[in-house]
PDB file of all heavy atoms in Angstrom:
ATOM      1  N   THR A 492       8.931  -6.033  13.678  1.00 96.00           N
ATOM      2  CA  THR A 492       9.098  -5.063  12.603  1.00 96.00           C
ATOM      3  C   THR A 492      10.567  -4.815  12.346  1.00 96.00           C
ATOM      4  O   THR A 492      11.403  -5.012  13.229  1.00 96.00           O
ATOM      5  CB  THR A 492       8.397  -3.740  12.944  1.00 96.00           C
ATOM      6  OG1 THR A 492       8.319  -2.928  11.788  1.00 96.00           O
ATOM      7  CG2 THR A 492       9.136  -2.941  14.016  1.00 96.00           C
ATOM      8  N   GLU A 493      10.866  -4.398  11.128  1.00 95.00           N
ATOM      9  CA  GLU A 493      12.199  -3.875  10.808  1.00 95.00           C
ATOM     10  C   GLU A 493      11.950  -2.537  10.132  1.00 95.00           C
ATOM     11  O   GLU A 493      11.092  -2.444   9.259  1.00 95.00           O
ATOM     12  CB  GLU A 493      12.937  -4.810   9.858  1.00 95.00           C
ATOM     13  CG  GLU A 493      14.327  -4.301   9.546  1.00 95.00           C
ATOM     14  CD  GLU A 493      15.064  -5.155   8.522  1.00 95.00           C
ATOM     15  OE1 GLU A 493      14.908  -4.879   7.323  1.00 95.00           O
ATOM     16  OE2 GLU A 493      15.779  -6.076   8.927  1.00 95.00           O
ATOM     17  N   GLN A 494      12.668  -1.496  10.541  1.00 94.00           N
ATOM     18  CA  GLN A 494      12.425  -0.159   9.998  1.00 94.00           C
ATOM     19  C   GLN A 494      13.735   0.542   9.692  1.00 94.00           C
ATOM     20  O   GLN A 494      14.726   0.348  10.397  1.00 94.00           O
ATOM     21  CB  GLN A 494      11.663   0.709  11.016  1.00 94.00           C
ATOM     22  CG  GLN A 494      10.286   0.212  11.385  1.00 94.00           C
ATOM     23  CD  GLN A 494       9.255   0.394  10.290  1.00 94.00           C
ATOM     24  OE1 GLN A 494       9.443   1.176   9.360  1.00 94.00           O
ATOM     25  NE2 GLN A 494       8.170  -0.357  10.369  1.00 94.00           N
ATOM     26  N   CYS A 495      13.710   1.373   8.652  1.00 92.00           N
ATOM     27  CA  CYS A 495      14.843   2.247   8.367  1.00 92.00           C
ATOM     28  C   CYS A 495      14.267   3.492   7.691  1.00 92.00           C
ATOM     29  O   CYS A 495      13.054   3.615   7.551  1.00 92.00           O
ATOM     30  CB  CYS A 495      15.859   1.550   7.477  1.00 92.00           C
ATOM     31  SG  CYS A 495      15.152   0.992   5.933  1.00 92.00           S
ATOM     32  N   GLY A 496      15.103   4.420   7.264  1.00 86.00           N
ATOM     33  CA  GLY A 496      14.621   5.629   6.598  1.00 86.00           C
ATOM     34  C   GLY A 496      13.811   6.501   7.552  1.00 86.00           C
ATOM     35  O   GLY A 496      14.139   6.622   8.728  1.00 86.00           O
ATOM     36  N   HIS A 497      12.733   7.058   7.014  1.00 81.00           N
ATOM     37  CA  HIS A 497      11.902   7.991   7.785  1.00 81.00           C
ATOM     38  C   HIS A 497      10.462   7.537   7.619  1.00 81.00           C
ATOM     39  O   HIS A 497       9.679   8.154   6.899  1.00 81.00           O
ATOM     40  CB  HIS A 497      12.113   9.408   7.208  1.00 81.00           C
ATOM     41  CG  HIS A 497      11.516  10.484   8.044  1.00 81.00           C
ATOM     42  ND1 HIS A 497      11.414  11.766   7.609  1.00 81.00           N
ATOM     43  CD2 HIS A 497      10.995  10.481   9.289  1.00 81.00           C
ATOM     44  CE1 HIS A 497      10.851  12.508   8.548  1.00 81.00           C
ATOM     45  NE2 HIS A 497      10.592  11.745   9.572  1.00 81.00           N
ATOM     46  N   PRO A 498      10.090   6.396   8.241  1.00 80.00           N
ATOM     47  CA  PRO A 498       8.775   5.806   7.953  1.00 80.00           C
ATOM     48  C   PRO A 498       7.626   6.689   8.417  1.00 80.00           C
ATOM     49  O   PRO A 498       7.735   7.380   9.429  1.00 80.00           O
ATOM     50  CB  PRO A 498       8.795   4.488   8.729  1.00 80.00           C
ATOM     51  CG  PRO A 498       9.968   4.522   9.621  1.00 80.00           C
ATOM     52  CD  PRO A 498      10.865   5.628   9.210  1.00 80.00           C
ATOM     53  N   GLN A 499       6.540   6.650   7.641  1.00 71.00           N
ATOM     54  CA  GLN A 499       5.362   7.470   7.941  1.00 71.00           C
ATOM     55  C   GLN A 499       4.258   6.634   8.587  1.00 71.00           C
ATOM     56  O   GLN A 499       3.208   7.129   8.903  1.00 71.00           O
ATOM     57  CB  GLN A 499       4.813   8.097   6.646  1.00 71.00           C
ATOM     58  CG  GLN A 499       5.806   8.930   5.868  1.00 71.00           C
ATOM     59  CD  GLN A 499       6.227  10.183   6.627  1.00 71.00           C
ATOM     60  OE1 GLN A 499       5.412  10.832   7.245  1.00 71.00           O
ATOM     61  NE2 GLN A 499       7.516  10.492   6.612  1.00 71.00           N
ATOM     62  N   LYS A 500       4.508   5.319   8.736  1.00 77.00           N
ATOM     63  CA  LYS A 500       3.452   4.445   9.262  1.00 77.00           C
ATOM     64  C   LYS A 500       3.377   4.553  10.783  1.00 77.00           C
ATOM     65  O   LYS A 500       4.195   5.221  11.400  1.00 77.00           O
ATOM     66  CB  LYS A 500       3.786   2.982   8.926  1.00 77.00           C
ATOM     67  CG  LYS A 500       3.994   2.715   7.469  1.00 77.00           C
ATOM     68  CD  LYS A 500       4.344   1.273   7.255  1.00 77.00           C
ATOM     69  CE  LYS A 500       3.129   0.378   7.441  1.00 77.00           C
ATOM     70  NZ  LYS A 500       3.379  -0.999   7.081  1.00 77.00           N
ATOM     71  N   SER A 501       2.436   3.816  11.352  1.00 81.00           N
ATOM     72  CA  SER A 501       2.353   3.765  12.808  1.00 81.00           C
ATOM     73  C   SER A 501       3.620   3.131  13.352  1.00 81.00           C
ATOM     74  O   SER A 501       4.078   2.092  12.874  1.00 81.00           O
ATOM     75  CB  SER A 501       1.152   2.920  13.224  1.00 81.00           C
ATOM     76  OG  SER A 501       1.291   2.557  14.580  1.00 81.00           O
TER      77      SER A 501
END
Side-chain angles (χ1 to χ4, degrees):
T492 193
E493 181 184 88
Q494 297 287 342
C495 58
H497 190 190
Q499 304 294 319
K500 304 179 73 173
S501 163

